[in-house]
Amino acid sequence: MNRALSRAMWRAALAGGVVAVFTSVTAVPAGAAEGGVAFSRVSVNGGKPIVVGVKEEVEVHATFRMTTTLKYDSGPMVFPYRGKLSNMDTMHSMIIGSDCKVVDRAKGICDFEEWLYIDPRFVDFGNEDAGTWRTAARVFLPHDGLDVDDKNLPLQLKRATRVTVNASPEPVAKGRTITVTGRVTRANWDTHTYQGYAGRTVSLQFKAAGASSYTTVKKSTSSRTGGLKTTVKATVPGTWRWTYYGNSTSGAKSSAGDYVAVR
């Protein structure tokens, strides 16, 4: 398997006008055979939410084990889905899978590695797709058969957030007031832009010069345009940032740090 070659072929298809469809309906073909295949040890994105922006393709790593003595036509895969296994919506633009890493040849046990790609720039991908998905495992068998299973593994698909920060004045006299501003925005998959995220509770954090970690100083609620603003007293030099911890449909994000010298 050559991942680079597979992705290059995919991009060539897109350049040639082939449209990628994320949310597609997959029906079980007539005469499909169920059973005879078991999937286990399924892990998708290390159990972390899948966070997608507006333009950047996201690569999701997955691993799983398949046990079967049946022959199969095309490589097994795992992927997010909604609906029923017999008529599902799926969430991926491309999947590249590894060859079988044999665990027990006699019992037909193989371990697989997979790279699933989600690109938000194409059709049938909108804000309504954020939230909880389930995980399906599937392999195609000869004569239009397949085995598809629900692995009872929820996946969180979230809209990416961005956070900015500016602390001023720089430098500042000890005991004087520092004004910290910023903005929190969220990916809009319908318009392919980032828009102000109103009403969000965002933490203002500080890391003193020489310290290794940030501490939350206070919290602020974003305005209707996503704006953030608060004031603090200057005590020691250090770095300020805003952190948004996300929710069920939006990813967590911290701004870059803004260092303020205190004299």
Side-chain angles (χ1 to χ4, degrees):
M1 178 209 56
N2 187 315
R3 286 170 58 202
L5 178 59
S6 295
R7 294 187 70 187
M9 293 173 63
W10 165 253
R11 300 200 186 290
L14 292 180
V18 177
V19 177
V21 179
F22 288 98
T23 308
S24 58
V25 177
T26 306
V28 176
E34 274 285 346
V37 183
F39 294 92
S40 60
R41 302 190 181 190
V42 177
S43 174
V44 180
N45 206 38
K48 298 179 293 185
I50 301 170
V51 181
V52 182
V54 299
K55 295 181 180 179
E56 305 80 11
E57 181 182 65
V58 173
E59 179 183 89
V60 179
H61 182 251
T63 57
F64 59 95
R65 174 169 289 184
M66 185 177 75
T67 302
T68 185
T69 56
L70 301 174
K71 293 182 179 180
Y72 51 91
D73 282 345
S74 60
M77 62 183 69
V78 296
F79 51 88
Y81 88 99
R82 278 178 172 173
K84 298 180 179 180
L85 289 175
S86 60
N87 189 20
M88 67 177 77
D89 291 340
T90 65
M91 180 57 64
H92 57 83
S93 54
M94 175 176 60
I95 294 177
I96 300 174
S98 72
D99 295 328
C100 161
K101 181 180 179 181
V102 177
V103 177
D104 187 319
R105 189 175 300 277
K107 295 181 179 179
I109 303 175
C110 288
D111 283 340
F112 293 90
E113 193 170 9
E114 174 185 293
W115 297 267
L116 181 148
Y117 296 91
I118 299 174
D119 192 322
R121 294 171 294 178
F122 300 103
V123 297
D124 290 337
F125 188 82
N127 294 334
E128 70 278 5
D129 291 316
T132 302
W133 290 66
R134 297 154 72 184
T135 305
R138 180 175 65 192
V139 63
F140 288 99
L141 305 171
H143 310 297
D144 293 328
L146 62 75
D147 189 287
V148 57
D149 300 327
D150 182 341
K151 298 317 298 174
N152 193 29
L153 179 67
L155 294 174
Q156 297 299 317
L157 183 68
K158 298 188 176 186
R159 296 158 65 178
T161 56
R162 289 179 173 175
V163 188
T164 61
V165 66
N166 182 62
S168 63
E170 305 175 49
V172 65
K174 185 175 181 178
R176 303 292 289 182
T177 297
I178 298 173
T179 300
V180 187
T181 59
R183 190 170 184 238
V184 56
T185 57
R186 180 171 65 156
N188 185 324
W189 292 336
D190 294 328
T191 62
H192 305 290
T193 59
Y194 281 88
Q195 297 180 340
Y197 199 12
R200 298 302 98 193
T201 299
V202 185
S203 298
L204 178 65
Q205 299 181 321
F206 179 69
K207 182 173 68 173
S212 59
S213 60
Y214 282 89
T215 300
T216 296
V217 175
K218 61 195 307 186
K219 296 182 180 181
S220 183
T221 301
S222 61
S223 71
R224 63 181 181 83
T225 60
L228 300 165
K229 184 177 182 179
T230 192
T231 59
V232 291
K233 292 294 183 181
T235 55
V236 296
T239 304
W240 297 92
R241 76 176 185 184
W242 291 105
T243 293
Y244 174 58
Y245 286 101
N247 57 35
S248 61
T249 60
S250 308
K253 188 69 175 180
S254 292
S255 69
D258 190 6
Y259 181 83
V260 177
V262 177
R263 297 176 179 174

